[in-house]
Amino acid sequence: MSEARPLWHGRFHEGPSEELLAFTSSLEYDRDLAADDLTGSRAHVRMLAKVGLITGEEEQALLDALRQVGEELEAGAFDFAPTDEDIHTAIERRVTDIAGAAGAKLHTGRSRNDQVALDLRLWLRREGRALVAAIQGLQEVLVVRAEEAEDAYLPGYTHLQRAQPVLLAHHLLAHVWAFARDVERWRDTLTRTDVSPLGAGALAGSSLPLDPDAVADELGFATRFHNSLDAVSDRDFVAEALFAASLTQVHLSRLGEEVMLWSSDEFGFVQLADAYSTGSSMLPQKKNPDIAELARGKAGRLIGHLAGFLATLKGLPLAYDRDLQEDKEPLFDAVRTCRLALQAMSGLLASAEFSVDRMRAAADAASSAATDLAEHLVRAHMPFREAHALVGGLVRQSVERGIPLEELVTNEPRLGPEALALLQPGEAVRRRTSPGGAGPEPVARQLEEARSRLAEQRHWFGHEPDDR
Ligand code: ARG
């Protein structure tokens, strides 16, 4: 049995067993909540003084002790006790050591249940914004690279088979819109995170004249809880953040997959900078896209965190259950991993060199213009199905008999010589003129739209991209 007494020693004859402490402690990872725990406690103390539950001197003694604890933690000089089962008990124990009788009033009207929910919301409010800044940083890189790409084009693929040429800018911007949806999702998630649970107590509120609105105000929350049972058992904001992080990571994974394909010798569309590539310990010639691979690989872990945490939540009766302690590790890991992946992929893409000649050569095959040939016939009033079959027949003959498509097109009376112009290099991409399409005109408009979306995002979050 341990010597030190836990906070709840009054009801117990003996202290906690080693096994209990080893199994139930969350201190190893919830230390990351220390700063938020101190922030929450300061607001709680001010509220206690405001409603007259502690005196002005007690308030000052508590605030001083909290500051000292903050300094000790910061300096690595904080002595953790074996009975500190989490950061909240550790801090309260130390505040009581320092402030004596006033310290023993810190937890007045508060439970770790509302306290831990508060801390986690404070943590996510800050770290979620930092993650959004990293998404915006990556979007910014993609937009700049899209602008620089000018009229470069490459094959667009379906089924990973060459389909129709698209501007490189169009391809890069496609990812910008996926990340724009992530930013919207994070905005929504962080709105629901922005609710103060402090004042819910263990589950039912308090007989003391607490003022949850004052605490919510002081901490800059948009609002406070409506129902104390819900306030301490709600972890929707964690599940939502895990989903938002998973989907952001899935988008990074898909982008990473393209980096892997494009940087292979087989495609040769992009060269990665040395600083964003790794070598092989055995094969001297290798230059590997490990960042892209890990962006893909870590998506699996994040999806696991989401699925695991939903499984944790699904059977829990109201209100707090200790199972909820399982919220922190997946959340911390998902948010941090995703942010690191965003930053690494931003650097990789900002420094990559696109091989636009290789892209153009791959896109200039005459068969890339097959759809344009069919649409040429459609303009002359041939039904599309018939036009599709006719052009498909020419492509088949070209493949089977080794005749250049150009020759077959010239000799096909229903197509005629002006159809030949459609097979000129770059023609197929220049002809993609419909709104949101892959050609120069719609892409120029799209670039403006992307730019103004980024400005709108900055306005929502009130920060510049990745202003760490
Ligand atoms: N470490 C706990 C958690 O993370 C704090 C809340 C403990 N509450 C309790 N009633 N045991 O959830």
Side-chain angles (χ1 to χ4, degrees):
M1 297 305 137
S2 160
E3 296 295 313
R5 299 189 311 175
L7 296 174
W8 52 84
H9 62 88
R11 161 76 173 77
F12 286 61
H13 286 298
E14 55 176 3
S17 67
E18 300 295 338
E19 296 91 324
L20 178 131
L21 288 172
F23 181 55
T24 63
S25 169
S26 52
L27 188 57
E28 195 192 318
Y29 46 86
D30 66 18
R31 279 175 206 216
D32 293 351
L33 292 175
D36 298 303
D37 199 67
L38 293 168
T39 302
S41 286
R42 276 192 296 273
H44 183 64
V45 164
R46 292 205 183 95
M47 182 277 292
L48 292 178
K50 184 175 158 248
V51 302
L53 284 166
I54 58 174
T55 66
E57 290 92 77
E58 286 169 332
E59 176 187 20
Q60 202 47 56
L62 280 165
L63 292 176
D64 288 346
L66 287 166
R67 185 178 5 84
Q68 185 181 329
V69 168
E71 286 162 6
E72 289 176 7
L73 283 163
E74 185 90 359
F78 187 98
D79 263 336
F80 286 97
T83 46
D84 292 339
E85 68 164 45
D86 55 26
I87 191 67
H88 324 289
T89 50
I91 291 177
E92 190 194 335
R93 177 187 52 73
R94 183 70 186 126
V95 166
T96 311
D97 284 350
I98 299 167
K105 293 194 173 180
L106 172 62
H107 214 51
T108 307
R110 187 174 70 169
S111 157
R112 271 185 303 156
N113 300 350
D114 54 350
Q115 182 180 5
V116 72
L118 173 79
D119 292 2
L120 204 56
R121 286 174 184 270
L122 287 171
W123 184 92
L124 182 58
R125 202 169 68 168
R126 181 185 58 255
E127 298 298 325
R129 286 174 64 88
L131 189 149
V132 169
I135 301 178
Q136 287 176 287
L138 176 55
Q139 289 176 303
E140 197 71 44
V141 168
L142 288 164
V143 167
V144 167
R145 302 295 332 235
E147 270 164 359
E148 291 168 359
E150 297 182 343
D151 53 4
Y153 58 92
L154 75 162
Y157 295 81
T158 61
H159 312 265
L160 200 54
Q161 309 289 320
R162 287 178 195 165
Q164 285 183 305
V166 297
L167 281 189
L168 173 57
H170 192 58
H171 194 117
L172 296 170
L173 288 172
H175 292 288
V176 171
W177 295 110
F179 290 117
R181 291 190 294 278
D182 289 326
V183 171
E184 288 175 15
R185 235 179 315 274
W186 276 105
R187 184 184 182 212
D188 204 32
T189 297
L190 293 177
T191 301
R192 272 186 292 279
T193 303
D194 200 10
V195 180
S196 173
L198 202 66
L203 76 162
S206 176
S207 65
L208 299 169
L210 304 179
D211 186 351
D213 288 306
V215 185
D217 245 22
E218 159 128 17
L219 292 171
F221 279 103
T223 177
R224 65 151 167 89
F225 66 96
H226 294 288
N227 178 308
S228 59
L229 286 171
D230 184 46
V232 294
S233 58
D234 171 22
R235 292 295 184 278
D236 290 3
F237 65 102
V238 175
E240 286 186 49
L242 289 173
F243 175 67
S246 298
L247 195 49
T248 306
Q249 193 71 39
V250 164
H251 291 149
L252 285 168
S253 174
R254 295 181 73 175
L255 178 58
E257 177 67 25
E258 292 190 333
V259 167
M260 280 170 255
L261 289 171
W262 288 14
S263 63
S264 69
D265 287 339
E266 285 69 15
F267 277 77
F269 288 177
V270 71
Q271 265 85 51
L272 304 186
D274 286 359
Y276 291 91
S277 312
T278 48
S280 156
S281 59
M282 178 172 165
L283 313 170
Q285 83 281 15
K286 291 301 294 293
K287 192 167 163 187
N288 295 327
D290 288 26
I291 290 177
E293 291 168 81
L294 281 172
R296 183 179 59 182
K298 285 174 190 285
R301 202 165 89 207
L302 266 62
I303 294 164
H305 287 332
L306 170 65
F309 187 61
L310 287 173
T312 297
L313 284 183
K314 73 179 265 297
L316 300 186
L318 301 183
Y320 178 84
D321 301 277
R322 189 65 179 268
D323 316 44
L324 290 175
Q325 179 170 291
E326 291 295 306
D327 54 5
K328 282 168 274 299
E329 284 168 292
L331 182 68
F332 293 169
D333 183 59
V335 171
R336 279 179 193 144
T337 299
C338 187
R339 185 170 168 208
L340 286 172
L342 285 159
Q343 290 167 345
M345 285 292 282
S346 297
L348 177 146
L349 287 163
S351 58
E353 226 179 278
F354 293 115
S355 307
V356 294
D357 296 345
R358 287 278 304 220
M359 291 179 173
R360 193 184 315 115
D364 275 344
S367 56
S368 307
T371 315
D372 296 277
L373 291 174
E375 287 172 2
H376 176 70
L377 293 166
V378 164
R379 265 190 293 274
H381 306 298
M382 183 184 283
F384 178 71
R385 261 307 136 239
E386 208 177 301
H388 184 285
L390 190 153
V391 176
L394 295 181
V395 172
R396 177 169 42 77
Q397 283 184 54
S398 167
V399 171
E400 286 176 1
R401 296 168 47 202
I403 306 171
L405 189 61
E406 290 84 344
E407 198 180 314
L408 293 167
V409 166
T410 316
N411 296 335
E412 169 53 59
R414 282 168 293 181
L415 277 163
E418 71 275 27
L420 206 53
L422 301 175
L423 304 185
Q424 290 312 301
E427 196 48 30
V429 75
R430 279 191 289 279
R431 299 179 73 85
R432 306 266 80 79
T433 49
S434 61
E441 289 160 39
V443 168
R445 280 197 295 280
Q446 192 193 155
L447 258 170
E448 276 170 41
E449 287 158 10
R451 280 253 165 251
S452 72
R453 173 61 74 92
L454 291 191
E456 204 178 341
Q457 289 176 185
R458 281 196 289 276
H459 178 71
W460 293 344
F461 286 91
H463 59 43
E464 289 303 307
D466 220 358
D467 58 352
R468 281 162 289 154

